[in-house]
Amino acid sequence: MGGSLLCSSYLYFEFCFCCRKIPRDLTEASLSGAGLSIVAAFSMIFLFGMELNNYLAVSTSTSVVVDKSSDGEFLRIDFNISFPALSCEFASVDVSDVLGTNRLNITKTIRKFSIDHNLKPTGSEFQSGTLSRVLKHDDEVDEEYGEGSVSLNAKNFDRIAHQYPILAVNFFAPWCLWSNRLKPSWEKAAKIIRERYDPEMDGRILLGKVDCTEEGELCRRNHIQGYPSIRIFRKGSDIRDDHGHHDHESYYGDRDTETLVTTMENLVAPISLESRKLALEDKSDDAKRPAPLAGGCRLEGFVRVKKVPGNLVISARSGAHSFDASQMNMSHVISHLSFGKKISAKVMSDMKRVLPYIGGSHDRLNGQAYTTHRGDSNANVTIEHYLQIVKTEVMTRSYKIVEEYEYTAHSSLVQSVAIPAAKFHFELSPMQVLITENPKSFWHFITNVCAIIGGVFTVAGIVDSVLHNTLRLVKKVELGKNF
């Protein structure tokens, strides 16, 4: 009996549910309902797209904190700078800072390439050798040394250079201390060589001299920037179309009479007296190296500096030469200048995904040219750059920290009584920028999507119910008026 009672109750409930009346606004089709359904569908698609875009977008937080660099950390400076009017022969890279560090003529991490006035390289890497040792000069100056070398000028230089297999030339300036110290030794050596190898009878070698204060164009043509400069011209295989002069070597050895005479005799020794063949270049002699083929130089490489205010200075430097400051031109083109470790293209792309504007100032001076022209108003001009550096750390979603150094730059031309230079004054900010990528939860995204769908359905139902009931009420009112 209990089973039949339960069955009867179930049948009654099913009958009542089936006979329940469904609201008319859910069963009757209407134009407003169709329009509302379309609006609801588009609203859900639009809101879903907005939520998806917000989920995929990168969210970051930026904070400024004190730089946590330790005392032992160094900052790397990478650069590639071209100087159209500075010879690689004397180009020097120096570093100093407020703590007293002073490193001169850094060569270990620097490469030099001779370039022409169009910034095009004229050969392989320029080998500087060593110029730091003290050169030997004659201890006693003999006032009766006489004139042994031949005075050369623009009119007779090319003719004499083609006449002798070996032509050694002293390019000097009368006001130069080093030129005056070399002069007695040079003249005595020239006199000895003239007696041993008579120019008329032997004709294998001749020693000459050029006064660069009177023959400025001739000295510039041979890329003379420091005084004295001893050049060794060889006849035969190195004649050039431009002016017909020779590619040549520079002599960097001792400047006493004995050494000069020995060097000249070694140059003459391989030449046959009968045939006057070209002397072979002595590769083992560090006192002679190929002279630069052009008057410009491209410096590329890097230096490491302490993270304190300091200076990177590029200028002409030599312990045995003098320079005419009024003739020095430190115009330069910066192909690259950056601070910190080099960042690969992939890492930079990942950083730009976090912050599209990042990386725009880590090489701010790239491609910039700073030019001065020879003249009274542009003499003794030093070009200075003031750089303010800020360290930026970026922490990506994978918790990978990338360090980048961005900087601002201000440049100016300064008249100076010293030798002109290109100076880069750098100063690091004591603060650093920390950028962190904020991770987003996938479950939070799913929850928001469900909320969008449910919310749109609910709002659409309410609006539809209000519209449907309002229309029914309007119809009833109209029917009441008719009756």
Side-chain angles (χ1 to χ4, degrees):
M1 181 172 178
S4 59
L5 180 60
L6 181 62
C7 182
S8 301
S9 300
Y10 174 76
L11 293 175
Y12 176 78
F13 175 77
E14 183 177 7
F15 173 78
C16 293
F17 179 78
C18 293
C19 295
R20 182 180 177 183
K21 190 174 182 180
I22 300 175
R24 183 176 300 176
D25 57 337
L26 299 180
T27 58
E28 293 181 357
S30 64
L31 185 61
S32 61
L36 189 61
S37 298
I38 294 174
V39 171
F42 277 107
S43 299
M44 283 189 288
I45 294 174
F46 174 75
L47 293 176
F48 174 78
M50 295 290 291
E51 183 64 26
L52 179 62
N53 180 69
N54 181 65
Y55 174 72
L56 297 177
V58 178
S59 174
T60 60
S61 59
T62 302
S63 57
V64 178
V65 298
V66 176
D67 190 355
K68 302 176 183 178
S69 301
S70 62
D71 290 340
E73 291 187 23
F74 288 83
L75 178 63
R76 172 170 169 153
I77 305 178
D78 287 274
F79 57 88
N80 185 333
I81 307 176
S82 299
F83 292 83
L86 176 64
S87 174
C88 288
E89 203 174 5
F90 304 111
S92 172
V93 178
D94 308 329
V95 169
S96 62
D97 61 41
V98 295
L99 296 181
T101 301
N102 194 15
R103 299 161 58 199
L104 303 178
N105 196 17
I106 300 172
T107 58
K108 187 176 181 180
T109 58
I110 307 298
R111 303 176 67 191
K112 301 178 182 179
F113 297 89
S114 293
I115 59 174
D116 59 20
H117 63 279
N118 293 320
L119 308 184
K120 295 181 179 179
T122 58
S124 58
E125 181 179 354
F126 181 82
Q127 300 298 331
S128 303
T130 174
L131 290 175
S132 57
R133 68 183 184 90
V134 178
L135 297 182
K136 183 179 178 182
H137 293 77
D138 284 346
D139 295 331
E140 297 181 1
V141 177
D142 184 4
E143 297 295 340
E144 302 297 330
Y145 53 81
E147 296 289 331
S149 61
V150 177
S151 295
L152 303 175
N153 52 49
K155 295 180 179 180
N156 64 5
F157 186 88
D158 292 337
R159 176 178 58 81
I160 295 178
H162 287 83
Q163 184 177 349
Y164 295 91
I166 299 294
L167 175 63
V169 183
N170 171 24
F171 293 89
F172 70 97
W175 53 262
C176 170
L177 168 66
W178 297 105
S179 295
N180 292 328
R181 291 193 65 183
L182 172 63
K183 184 177 180 179
S185 304
W186 185 259
E187 296 300 338
K188 285 190 290 185
K191 192 173 182 179
I192 294 173
I193 293 298
R194 178 183 288 271
E195 292 173 354
R196 295 181 184 179
Y197 307 93
D198 185 85
E200 300 297 333
M201 302 300 295
D202 188 289
R204 285 180 287 176
I205 187 171
L206 182 70
L207 273 66
K209 58 187 176 183
V210 176
D211 185 349
C212 288
T213 60
E214 296 181 357
E215 300 292 335
E217 181 59 33
L218 178 59
C219 292
R220 282 192 292 271
R221 201 174 80 191
N222 289 280
H223 317 302
I224 304 300
Q225 295 182 3
Y227 311 110
S229 291
I230 300 176
R231 297 286 196 259
I232 300 171
F233 296 83
R234 299 173 183 268
K235 177 184 177 182
S237 65
D238 52 3
I239 296 178
R240 302 172 62 182
D241 293 334
D242 185 18
H243 300 292
H245 68 272
H246 298 186
D247 291 342
H248 47 275
E249 297 171 318
S250 291
Y251 175 76
Y252 300 106
D254 290 328
R255 297 173 180 173
D256 61 295
T257 303
E258 182 181 355
T259 303
L260 289 172
V261 172
T262 302
T263 301
M264 300 308 160
E265 288 185 332
N266 291 337
L267 292 172
V268 176
I271 304 178
S272 169
L273 180 60
E274 293 78 12
S275 60
R276 296 184 181 182
K277 293 182 179 178
L278 177 67
L280 297 176
E281 197 175 305
D282 185 2
K283 296 294 184 180
S284 62
D285 189 359
D286 187 58
K288 302 190 302 296
R289 293 188 299 275
L293 301 178
C297 187
R298 186 177 80 237
L299 298 166
E300 61 180 54
F302 68 92
V303 295
R304 298 184 186 276
V305 298
K306 295 179 181 179
K307 293 186 174 181
V308 294
N311 305 288
L312 171 67
V313 181
I314 301 176
S315 63
R317 179 181 296 279
S318 174
H321 296 81
S322 298
F323 303 96
D324 185 355
S326 64
Q327 298 298 317
M328 301 297 295
N329 187 338
M330 296 305 297
S331 298
H332 56 270
V333 177
I334 302 175
S335 300
H336 178 75
L337 178 66
S338 64
F339 296 85
K341 297 179 181 178
K342 287 187 175 181
I343 301 177
S344 65
K346 183 178 181 303
V347 174
M348 181 59 72
S349 176
D350 190 33
M351 290 175 60
K352 287 186 177 294
R353 180 186 62 83
V354 178
L355 283 178
Y357 57 82
I358 202 168
S361 298
H362 80 285
D363 53 1
R364 179 177 291 273
L365 289 179
N366 285 17
Q368 299 295 318
Y370 301 88
T371 305
T372 61
H373 301 283
R374 188 176 277 114
D376 294 337
S377 61
N378 291 315
N380 296 52
V381 173
T382 289
I383 303 176
E384 298 189 356
H385 307 278
Y386 298 88
L387 312 177
Q388 293 283 342
I389 308 168
V390 178
K391 179 182 178 182
T392 302
E393 286 188 357
V394 180
M395 182 176 292
T396 61
R397 187 181 301 175
S398 58
Y399 295 98
K400 178 182 179 181
I401 297 180
V402 180
E403 289 186 359
E404 188 210 19
Y405 290 85
E406 298 193 338
Y407 63 90
T408 61
H410 302 278
S411 305
S412 64
L413 305 181
V414 180
Q415 294 280 346
S416 173
V417 295
I419 296 296
K423 296 183 179 181
F424 297 84
H425 307 280
F426 56 87
E427 183 176 355
L428 280 83
S429 170
M431 311 301 289
Q432 72 174 39
V433 179
L434 181 62
I435 301 174
T436 305
E437 181 179 3
N438 300 324
K440 294 184 178 180
S441 172
F442 177 73
W443 300 113
H444 183 70
F445 168 71
I446 294 297
T447 302
N448 288 348
V449 171
C450 293
I452 289 172
I453 296 174
V456 171
F457 266 118
T458 301
V459 172
I462 293 174
V463 173
D464 181 64
S465 177
V466 170
L467 289 176
H468 185 74
N469 291 331
T470 301
L471 292 176
R472 289 180 58 188
L473 181 61
V474 170
K475 289 182 179 179
K476 286 182 179 180
V477 171
E478 290 179 351
L479 289 175
K481 288 182 178 181
N482 294 332
F483 291 98

